[in-house]
Amino acid sequence: MKAVIQRVLNANVVVEEKIVGAVGKGFLILLGVARGDTEAEVDILAEKILKLRVFSDENGKMNRSILDVGGEILVVSQFTLLANCRHGNRPDFLESAPPELANRLYELFKEKIREKIENVACGIFGADMQVTLVNDGPVTILLDTETLKKK
């Protein structure tokens, strides 16, 4: 499972010219589910994201988590994070999970985040979406559960 976490001042996602999810200060999370991912990867990723200390404390140091600042989260499913560009110029997406598995784990991920975060908005799985954001910092973190599992 891969995620791009962007610290934002605000973000929204539009489907068919309607805003379907919007947040203020917090995270925009682009989430890609890989073939072979399980609930274990959901748990690892959700826990890591909730504890990431990328918000400033009173001294201006990135020392506070989204839980500490009462931030909001917008989650958008993005299978293209699993793009394989090793051969040729056209990416393949064979490493991404089949839609049924990807949607189930995407929904589970949102549930895990909602256990700790009051305002969690989301896109629509499989839809053509337009995402708008104001990246704060800019702060952008790439996470991959394959790397997070290695100790």
Side-chain angles (χ1 to χ4, degrees):
M1 190 169 284
K2 295 183 180 186
V4 174
I5 298 95
Q6 295 181 296
R7 188 178 74 184
V8 298
L9 295 177
N10 59 68
N12 70 60
V13 61
V14 172
V15 175
E16 296 180 2
E17 300 182 18
K18 293 182 184 166
I19 294 176
V20 297
V23 296
K25 180 180 178 180
F27 288 149
L28 165 63
I29 301 172
L30 304 175
L31 183 70
V33 180
R35 191 171 293 279
D37 281 345
T38 66
E39 293 180 15
E41 282 77 18
V42 170
D43 292 340
I44 290 166
L45 196 58
E47 182 177 335
K48 179 61 81 172
I49 289 169
L50 292 170
K51 292 180 179 178
L52 275 178
R53 296 186 316 171
V54 297
F55 292 90
S56 297
D57 64 14
E58 59 281 352
N59 297 315
K61 301 283 185 195
M62 287 200 302
N63 206 21
R64 301 184 79 204
S65 72
I66 193 151
L67 298 170
D68 296 331
V69 301
E72 303 175 344
I73 294 180
L74 174 59
V75 184
V76 176
S77 176
Q78 188 169 352
F79 78 95
T80 59
L81 291 177
L82 284 295
N84 178 342
C85 298
R86 288 185 288 262
H87 304 289
N89 295 317
R90 181 176 179 198
D92 75 53
F93 302 101
L94 300 175
E95 295 174 22
S96 63
E100 304 78 29
L101 173 63
N103 190 28
R104 184 174 66 79
L105 295 181
Y106 169 68
E107 293 296 329
L108 182 60
F109 178 82
K110 293 186 306 186
E111 287 175 27
K112 292 281 184 188
I113 296 294
R114 283 187 174 119
E115 290 174 6
K116 305 283 184 178
I117 301 292
E118 187 174 328
N119 185 20
V120 178
C122 56
I124 297 175
F125 184 87
D128 182 32
M129 297 175 274
Q130 292 74 50
V131 179
T132 304
L133 69 137
V134 176
N135 192 317
D136 182 21
V139 173
T140 301
I141 308 287
L142 304 173
L143 295 177
D144 185 335
T145 53
E146 286 301 310
T147 304
L148 295 175
K149 290 189 284 187
K150 295 177 183 176
K151 294 195 177 192

